[in-house]
Amino acid sequence: MGKIAYPILCEENYNLNYDRGIYKKMRDALGRRGESLFDLLITEFHSDAGPIFKPQFLGEKWQYVDFIVELVGAGSYIPYFFVQVKTTRQGYSKKDKRLKVKVEKESIIGIASYLAPTYIAGRD
């Protein structure tokens, strides 16, 4: 993993201190923020009946996915899908206007192994 520069005030000038602990905390906070925003956005009300999706956060015990999401009001059969949420502060690429997130090959293979629809949702 890369490192993040964290400024610390010194007597003579500002030095950059590379601290893995701070990087991990920031990465975890960014991930939690992205997951919370996904939960909020997917439960948006589209009618007086309320949201059409019911997400359930799966936690860190699930290796490749973050949420299972059910479609509300579909009858006796409950359609669902899995979602992995990726969050970045890198923005979009200039050329392709694509969100700058990285998904490891192992994650793609793991996500594809689920016998249900799976999606990767990105958030800037």
Side-chain angles (χ1 to χ4, degrees):
M1 285 261 135
K3 297 179 179 179
I4 188 166
Y6 184 74
I8 294 183
L9 180 61
C10 294
E11 291 178 358
E12 298 156 311
N13 59 5
Y14 290 98
N15 287 334
L16 296 179
N17 178 26
Y18 296 98
D19 187 338
R20 292 187 146 240
I22 292 171
Y23 173 77
K24 182 173 177 0
K25 287 177 186 176
M26 290 179 68
R27 188 184 68 207
D28 290 348
L30 186 62
R32 283 192 309 273
R33 182 175 184 264
E35 292 160 354
S36 296
L37 288 170
F38 172 81
D39 192 17
L40 176 71
L41 293 171
I42 202 157
T43 56
E44 183 177 321
F45 283 49
H46 293 278
S47 70
D48 290 336
I52 59 173
F53 294 113
K54 180 183 171 187
Q56 176 62 49
F57 182 65
L58 298 172
E60 294 180 8
K61 293 184 180 184
W62 288 66
Q63 187 172 3
Y64 300 113
V65 293
D66 298 314
F67 289 89
I68 183 170
V69 182
E70 296 177 357
L71 179 63
V72 175
S76 61
Y77 172 72
I78 301 174
Y80 65 93
F81 57 93
F82 292 100
V83 178
Q84 180 186 69
V85 178
K86 297 299 248 178
T87 311
T88 183
R89 295 183 74 190
Q90 301 296 317
Y92 294 84
S93 65
K94 291 180 182 179
K95 181 180 177 185
D96 300 327
K97 303 287 187 219
R98 292 181 177 215
L99 190 60
K100 292 181 182 179
V101 294
K102 293 183 182 180
V103 182
E104 301 294 329
K105 184 177 180 180
E106 177 189 349
S107 288
I108 293 171
I109 293 168
I111 291 168
S113 70
Y114 285 90
L115 298 176
T118 53
Y119 300 93
I120 298 173
R123 181 71 188 167
D124 181 26

mmCIF file with all atom_site columns, all heavy atoms in Angstrom, residues 3 12 24 27 34-35 37 51 59-60 65 73 77 86 97 112 119-120:
data_model
loop_
_atom_site.group_PDB
_atom_site.id
_atom_site.type_symbol
_atom_site.label_atom_id
_atom_site.label_alt_id
_atom_site.label_comp_id
_atom_site.label_asym_id
_atom_site.label_entity_id
_atom_site.label_seq_id
_atom_site.pdbx_PDB_ins_code
_atom_site.Cartn_x
_atom_site.Cartn_y
_atom_site.Cartn_z
_atom_site.occupancy
_atom_site.B_iso_or_equiv
_atom_site.pdbx_formal_charge
_atom_site.auth_seq_id
_atom_site.auth_comp_id
_atom_site.auth_asym_id
_atom_site.auth_atom_id
_atom_site.pdbx_PDB_model_num
ATOM 1   N N   . LYS A 1 3   ? 1.621   5.331   0.869   1.00 0.00 ? 3   LYS A N   1
ATOM 2   C CA  . LYS A 1 3   ? 1.609   6.091   2.116   1.00 0.00 ? 3   LYS A CA  1
ATOM 3   C C   . LYS A 1 3   ? 0.962   7.439   1.865   1.00 0.00 ? 3   LYS A C   1
ATOM 4   O O   . LYS A 1 3   ? 0.952   7.948   0.764   1.00 0.00 ? 3   LYS A O   1
ATOM 5   C CB  . LYS A 1 3   ? 3.033   6.293   2.619   1.00 0.00 ? 3   LYS A CB  1
ATOM 6   C CG  . LYS A 1 3   ? 3.731   5.001   2.960   1.00 0.00 ? 3   LYS A CG  1
ATOM 7   C CD  . LYS A 1 3   ? 5.130   5.281   3.426   1.00 0.00 ? 3   LYS A CD  1
ATOM 8   C CE  . LYS A 1 3   ? 5.828   3.991   3.795   1.00 0.00 ? 3   LYS A CE  1
ATOM 9   N NZ  . LYS A 1 3   ? 7.186   4.232   4.237   1.00 0.00 ? 3   LYS A NZ  1
ATOM 10  N N   . GLU A 1 12  ? 11.891  24.269  12.582  1.00 0.00 ? 12  GLU A N   1
ATOM 11  C CA  . GLU A 1 12  ? 12.467  25.004  11.454  1.00 0.00 ? 12  GLU A CA  1
ATOM 12  C C   . GLU A 1 12  ? 11.506  25.134  10.275  1.00 0.00 ? 12  GLU A C   1
ATOM 13  O O   . GLU A 1 12  ? 11.442  26.163  9.636   1.00 0.00 ? 12  GLU A O   1
ATOM 14  C CB  . GLU A 1 12  ? 13.755  24.323  11.014  1.00 0.00 ? 12  GLU A CB  1
ATOM 15  C CG  . GLU A 1 12  ? 14.780  24.336  12.142  1.00 0.00 ? 12  GLU A CG  1
ATOM 16  C CD  . GLU A 1 12  ? 15.778  23.209  11.984  1.00 0.00 ? 12  GLU A CD  1
ATOM 17  O OE1 . GLU A 1 12  ? 15.349  22.071  11.780  1.00 0.00 ? 12  GLU A OE1 1
ATOM 18  O OE2 . GLU A 1 12  ? 16.965  23.503  12.070  1.00 0.00 ? 12  GLU A OE2 1
ATOM 19  N N   . LYS A 1 24  ? -4.120  4.170   7.353   1.00 0.00 ? 24  LYS A N   1
ATOM 20  C CA  . LYS A 1 24  ? -5.142  3.136   7.525   1.00 0.00 ? 24  LYS A CA  1
ATOM 21  C C   . LYS A 1 24  ? -6.414  3.727   8.135   1.00 0.00 ? 24  LYS A C   1
ATOM 22  O O   . LYS A 1 24  ? -7.516  3.424   7.687   1.00 0.00 ? 24  LYS A O   1
ATOM 23  C CB  . LYS A 1 24  ? -4.622  2.004   8.401   1.00 0.00 ? 24  LYS A CB  1
ATOM 24  C CG  . LYS A 1 24  ? -5.638  0.884   8.574   1.00 0.00 ? 24  LYS A CG  1
ATOM 25  C CD  . LYS A 1 24  ? -5.060  -0.293  9.304   1.00 0.00 ? 24  LYS A CD  1
ATOM 26  C CE  . LYS A 1 24  ? -6.027  -1.403  9.562   1.00 0.00 ? 24  LYS A CE  1
ATOM 27  N NZ  . LYS A 1 24  ? -7.359  -1.328  9.137   1.00 0.00 ? 24  LYS A NZ  1
ATOM 28  N N   . ARG A 1 27  ? -8.153  5.712   5.430   1.00 0.00 ? 27  ARG A N   1
ATOM 29  C CA  . ARG A 1 27  ? -8.729  4.811   4.434   1.00 0.00 ? 27  ARG A CA  1
ATOM 30  C C   . ARG A 1 27  ? -9.984  4.160   4.985   1.00 0.00 ? 27  ARG A C   1
ATOM 31  O O   . ARG A 1 27  ? -11.007 4.073   4.307   1.00 0.00 ? 27  ARG A O   1
ATOM 32  C CB  . ARG A 1 27  ? -7.699  3.757   4.037   1.00 0.00 ? 27  ARG A CB  1
ATOM 33  C CG  . ARG A 1 27  ? -8.146  2.904   2.863   1.00 0.00 ? 27  ARG A CG  1
ATOM 34  C CD  . ARG A 1 27  ? -7.150  1.822   2.560   1.00 0.00 ? 27  ARG A CD  1
ATOM 35  N NE  . ARG A 1 27  ? -7.189  0.886   3.681   1.00 0.00 ? 27  ARG A NE  1
ATOM 36  C CZ  . ARG A 1 27  ? -6.194  0.130   4.054   1.00 0.00 ? 27  ARG A CZ  1
ATOM 37  N NH1 . ARG A 1 27  ? -5.045  0.197   3.437   1.00 0.00 ? 27  ARG A NH1 1
ATOM 38  N NH2 . ARG A 1 27  ? -6.313  -0.699  5.065   1.00 0.00 ? 27  ARG A NH2 1
ATOM 39  N N   . GLY A 1 34  ? -18.187 6.082   2.432   1.00 0.00 ? 34  GLY A N   1
ATOM 40  C CA  . GLY A 1 34  ? -18.742 5.615   1.162   1.00 0.00 ? 34  GLY A CA  1
ATOM 41  C C   . GLY A 1 34  ? -19.870 4.620   1.365   1.00 0.00 ? 34  GLY A C   1
ATOM 42  O O   . GLY A 1 34  ? -20.895 4.678   0.680   1.00 0.00 ? 34  GLY A O   1
ATOM 43  N N   . GLU A 1 35  ? -19.695 3.695   2.311   1.00 0.00 ? 35  GLU A N   1
ATOM 44  C CA  . GLU A 1 35  ? -20.746 2.719   2.599   1.00 0.00 ? 35  GLU A CA  1
ATOM 45  C C   . GLU A 1 35  ? -21.990 3.401   3.149   1.00 0.00 ? 35  GLU A C   1
ATOM 46  O O   . GLU A 1 35  ? -23.118 3.062   2.763   1.00 0.00 ? 35  GLU A O   1
ATOM 47  C CB  . GLU A 1 35  ? -20.221 1.675   3.585   1.00 0.00 ? 35  GLU A CB  1
ATOM 48  C CG  . GLU A 1 35  ? -19.158 0.779   2.986   1.00 0.00 ? 35  GLU A CG  1
ATOM 49  C CD  . GLU A 1 35  ? -18.293 0.073   3.999   1.00 0.00 ? 35  GLU A CD  1
ATOM 50  O OE1 . GLU A 1 35  ? -18.423 0.345   5.223   1.00 0.00 ? 35  GLU A OE1 1
ATOM 51  O OE2 . GLU A 1 35  ? -17.469 -0.744  3.578   1.00 0.00 ? 35  GLU A OE2 1
ATOM 52  N N   . LEU A 1 37  ? -22.936 6.526   2.586   1.00 0.00 ? 37  LEU A N   1
ATOM 53  C CA  . LEU A 1 37  ? -23.559 7.273   1.490   1.00 0.00 ? 37  LEU A CA  1
ATOM 54  C C   . LEU A 1 37  ? -24.305 6.342   0.540   1.00 0.00 ? 37  LEU A C   1
ATOM 55  O O   . LEU A 1 37  ? -25.395 6.663   0.058   1.00 0.00 ? 37  LEU A O   1
ATOM 56  C CB  . LEU A 1 37  ? -22.518 8.092   0.735   1.00 0.00 ? 37  LEU A CB  1
ATOM 57  C CG  . LEU A 1 37  ? -21.991 9.309   1.479   1.00 0.00 ? 37  LEU A CG  1
ATOM 58  C CD1 . LEU A 1 37  ? -20.802 9.910   0.747   1.00 0.00 ? 37  LEU A CD1 1
ATOM 59  C CD2 . LEU A 1 37  ? -23.093 10.340  1.657   1.00 0.00 ? 37  LEU A CD2 1
ATOM 60  N N   . PRO A 1 51  ? -38.790 3.635   -0.029  1.00 0.00 ? 51  PRO A N   1
ATOM 61  C CA  . PRO A 1 51  ? -37.697 3.197   -0.892  1.00 0.00 ? 51  PRO A CA  1
ATOM 62  C C   . PRO A 1 51  ? -38.021 1.871   -1.579  1.00 0.00 ? 51  PRO A C   1
ATOM 63  O O   . PRO A 1 51  ? -38.812 1.075   -1.076  1.00 0.00 ? 51  PRO A O   1
ATOM 64  C CB  . PRO A 1 51  ? -36.522 3.032   0.067   1.00 0.00 ? 51  PRO A CB  1
ATOM 65  C CG  . PRO A 1 51  ? -37.109 2.896   1.420   1.00 0.00 ? 51  PRO A CG  1
ATOM 66  C CD  . PRO A 1 51  ? -38.434 3.602   1.384   1.00 0.00 ? 51  PRO A CD  1
ATOM 67  N N   . GLY A 1 59  ? -20.806 -6.239  6.736   1.00 0.00 ? 59  GLY A N   1
ATOM 68  C CA  . GLY A 1 59  ? -19.657 -6.140  7.626   1.00 0.00 ? 59  GLY A CA  1
ATOM 69  C C   . GLY A 1 59  ? -18.390 -6.702  7.013   1.00 0.00 ? 59  GLY A C   1
ATOM 70  O O   . GLY A 1 59  ? -18.358 -7.131  5.865   1.00 0.00 ? 59  GLY A O   1
ATOM 71  N N   . GLU A 1 60  ? -17.354 -6.713  7.804   1.00 0.00 ? 60  GLU A N   1
ATOM 72  C CA  . GLU A 1 60  ? -16.039 -7.117  7.317   1.00 0.00 ? 60  GLU A CA  1
ATOM 73  C C   . GLU A 1 60  ? -15.876 -8.624  7.198   1.00 0.00 ? 60  GLU A C   1
ATOM 74  O O   . GLU A 1 60  ? -14.872 -9.094  6.675   1.00 0.00 ? 60  GLU A O   1
ATOM 75  C CB  . GLU A 1 60  ? -14.962 -6.553  8.244   1.00 0.00 ? 60  GLU A CB  1
ATOM 76  C CG  . GLU A 1 60  ? -14.896 -5.050  8.197   1.00 0.00 ? 60  GLU A CG  1
ATOM 77  C CD  . GLU A 1 60  ? -13.831 -4.491  9.119   1.00 0.00 ? 60  GLU A CD  1
ATOM 78  O OE1 . GLU A 1 60  ? -13.048 -5.273  9.685   1.00 0.00 ? 60  GLU A OE1 1
ATOM 79  O OE2 . GLU A 1 60  ? -13.791 -3.266  9.263   1.00 0.00 ? 60  GLU A OE2 1
ATOM 80  N N   . VAL A 1 65  ? -17.935 -8.593  -0.741  1.00 0.00 ? 65  VAL A N   1
ATOM 81  C CA  . VAL A 1 65  ? -19.098 -7.714  -0.890  1.00 0.00 ? 65  VAL A CA  1
ATOM 82  C C   . VAL A 1 65  ? -19.382 -6.993  0.420   1.00 0.00 ? 65  VAL A C   1
ATOM 83  O O   . VAL A 1 65  ? -19.047 -7.479  1.496   1.00 0.00 ? 65  VAL A O   1
ATOM 84  C CB  . VAL A 1 65  ? -20.350 -8.485  -1.368  1.00 0.00 ? 65  VAL A CB  1
ATOM 85  C CG1 . VAL A 1 65  ? -20.153 -9.004  -2.784  1.00 0.00 ? 65  VAL A CG1 1
ATOM 86  C CG2 . VAL A 1 65  ? -20.709 -9.611  -0.434  1.00 0.00 ? 65  VAL A CG2 1
ATOM 87  N N   . GLY A 1 73  ? -41.250 -5.135  -2.234  1.00 0.00 ? 73  GLY A N   1
ATOM 88  C CA  . GLY A 1 73  ? -42.574 -5.195  -2.849  1.00 0.00 ? 73  GLY A CA  1
ATOM 89  C C   . GLY A 1 73  ? -42.648 -6.001  -4.121  1.00 0.00 ? 73  GLY A C   1
ATOM 90  O O   . GLY A 1 73  ? -43.515 -5.760  -4.957  1.00 0.00 ? 73  GLY A O   1
ATOM 91  N N   . TYR A 1 77  ? -41.549 -13.744 -4.315  1.00 0.00 ? 77  TYR A N   1
ATOM 92  C CA  . TYR A 1 77  ? -40.141 -13.924 -4.658  1.00 0.00 ? 77  TYR A CA  1
ATOM 93  C C   . TYR A 1 77  ? -39.398 -12.627 -4.338  1.00 0.00 ? 77  TYR A C   1
ATOM 94  O O   . TYR A 1 77  ? -39.827 -11.548 -4.738  1.00 0.00 ? 77  TYR A O   1
ATOM 95  C CB  . TYR A 1 77  ? -40.016 -14.256 -6.152  1.00 0.00 ? 77  TYR A CB  1
ATOM 96  C CG  . TYR A 1 77  ? -38.603 -14.280 -6.650  1.00 0.00 ? 77  TYR A CG  1
ATOM 97  C CD1 . TYR A 1 77  ? -37.736 -15.308 -6.307  1.00 0.00 ? 77  TYR A CD1 1
ATOM 98  C CD2 . TYR A 1 77  ? -38.126 -13.258 -7.462  1.00 0.00 ? 77  TYR A CD2 1
ATOM 99  C CE1 . TYR A 1 77  ? -36.431 -15.324 -6.770  1.00 0.00 ? 77  TYR A CE1 1
ATOM 100 C CE2 . TYR A 1 77  ? -36.826 -13.272 -7.935  1.00 0.00 ? 77  TYR A CE2 1
ATOM 101 C CZ  . TYR A 1 77  ? -35.981 -14.314 -7.580  1.00 0.00 ? 77  TYR A CZ  1
ATOM 102 O OH  . TYR A 1 77  ? -34.694 -14.334 -8.032  1.00 0.00 ? 77  TYR A OH  1
ATOM 103 N N   . LYS A 1 86  ? -16.767 1.034   -3.410  1.00 0.00 ? 86  LYS A N   1
ATOM 104 C CA  . LYS A 1 86  ? -15.413 1.572   -3.491  1.00 0.00 ? 86  LYS A CA  1
ATOM 105 C C   . LYS A 1 86  ? -15.507 3.091   -3.379  1.00 0.00 ? 86  LYS A C   1
ATOM 106 O O   . LYS A 1 86  ? -16.322 3.721   -4.048  1.00 0.00 ? 86  LYS A O   1
ATOM 107 C CB  . LYS A 1 86  ? -14.743 1.210   -4.819  1.00 0.00 ? 86  LYS A CB  1
ATOM 108 C CG  . LYS A 1 86  ? -14.559 -0.277  -5.019  1.00 0.00 ? 86  LYS A CG  1
ATOM 109 C CD  . LYS A 1 86  ? -13.702 -0.857  -3.961  1.00 0.00 ? 86  LYS A CD  1
ATOM 110 C CE  . LYS A 1 86  ? -12.395 -1.329  -4.470  1.00 0.00 ? 86  LYS A CE  1
ATOM 111 N NZ  . LYS A 1 86  ? -11.533 -1.861  -3.440  1.00 0.00 ? 86  LYS A NZ  1
ATOM 112 N N   . LYS A 1 97  ? -13.301 10.333  -18.087 1.00 0.00 ? 97  LYS A N   1
ATOM 113 C CA  . LYS A 1 97  ? -14.306 10.740  -17.095 1.00 0.00 ? 97  LYS A CA  1
ATOM 114 C C   . LYS A 1 97  ? -14.771 9.545   -16.269 1.00 0.00 ? 97  LYS A C   1
ATOM 115 O O   . LYS A 1 97  ? -15.946 9.373   -15.994 1.00 0.00 ? 97  LYS A O   1
ATOM 116 C CB  . LYS A 1 97  ? -15.505 11.412  -17.765 1.00 0.00 ? 97  LYS A CB  1
ATOM 117 C CG  . LYS A 1 97  ? -15.166 12.613  -18.609 1.00 0.00 ? 97  LYS A CG  1
ATOM 118 C CD  . LYS A 1 97  ? -14.804 13.783  -17.760 1.00 0.00 ? 97  LYS A CD  1
ATOM 119 C CE  . LYS A 1 97  ? -14.634 15.012  -18.637 1.00 0.00 ? 97  LYS A CE  1
ATOM 120 N NZ  . LYS A 1 97  ? -13.558 15.840  -18.252 1.00 0.00 ? 97  LYS A NZ  1
ATOM 121 N N   . ALA A 1 112 ? -17.344 -12.248 -8.893  1.00 0.00 ? 112 ALA A N   1
ATOM 122 C CA  . ALA A 1 112 ? -17.959 -13.007 -9.989  1.00 0.00 ? 112 ALA A CA  1
ATOM 123 C C   . ALA A 1 112 ? -18.355 -14.419 -9.566  1.00 0.00 ? 112 ALA A C   1
ATOM 124 O O   . ALA A 1 112 ? -19.186 -15.050 -10.221 1.00 0.00 ? 112 ALA A O   1
ATOM 125 C CB  . ALA A 1 112 ? -17.001 -13.056 -11.176 1.00 0.00 ? 112 ALA A CB  1
ATOM 126 N N   . TYR A 1 119 ? -22.512 -6.102  -8.109  1.00 0.00 ? 119 TYR A N   1
ATOM 127 C CA  . TYR A 1 119 ? -22.147 -4.795  -8.648  1.00 0.00 ? 119 TYR A CA  1
ATOM 128 C C   . TYR A 1 119 ? -21.046 -4.184  -7.811  1.00 0.00 ? 119 TYR A C   1
ATOM 129 O O   . TYR A 1 119 ? -20.938 -4.454  -6.616  1.00 0.00 ? 119 TYR A O   1
ATOM 130 C CB  . TYR A 1 119 ? -23.364 -3.851  -8.650  1.00 0.00 ? 119 TYR A CB  1
ATOM 131 C CG  . TYR A 1 119 ? -24.518 -4.358  -9.468  1.00 0.00 ? 119 TYR A CG  1
ATOM 132 C CD1 . TYR A 1 119 ? -25.518 -5.104  -8.879  1.00 0.00 ? 119 TYR A CD1 1
ATOM 133 C CD2 . TYR A 1 119 ? -24.576 -4.112  -10.838 1.00 0.00 ? 119 TYR A CD2 1
ATOM 134 C CE1 . TYR A 1 119 ? -26.578 -5.592  -9.626  1.00 0.00 ? 119 TYR A CE1 1
ATOM 135 C CE2 . TYR A 1 119 ? -25.624 -4.584  -11.590 1.00 0.00 ? 119 TYR A CE2 1
ATOM 136 C CZ  . TYR A 1 119 ? -26.628 -5.339  -10.989 1.00 0.00 ? 119 TYR A CZ  1
ATOM 137 O OH  . TYR A 1 119 ? -27.663 -5.806  -11.742 1.00 0.00 ? 119 TYR A OH  1
ATOM 138 N N   . ILE A 1 120 ? -20.278 -3.339  -8.451  1.00 0.00 ? 120 ILE A N   1
ATOM 139 C CA  . ILE A 1 120 ? -19.302 -2.510  -7.739  1.00 0.00 ? 120 ILE A CA  1
ATOM 140 C C   . ILE A 1 120 ? -19.803 -1.080  -7.858  1.00 0.00 ? 120 ILE A C   1
ATOM 141 O O   . ILE A 1 120 ? -19.966 -0.570  -8.969  1.00 0.00 ? 120 ILE A O   1
ATOM 142 C CB  . ILE A 1 120 ? -17.891 -2.652  -8.338  1.00 0.00 ? 120 ILE A CB  1
ATOM 143 C CG1 . ILE A 1 120 ? -17.426 -4.101  -8.212  1.00 0.00 ? 120 ILE A CG1 1
ATOM 144 C CG2 . ILE A 1 120 ? -16.922 -1.696  -7.630  1.00 0.00 ? 120 ILE A CG2 1
ATOM 145 C CD1 . ILE A 1 120 ? -16.118 -4.389  -8.935  1.00 0.00 ? 120 ILE A CD1 1
#
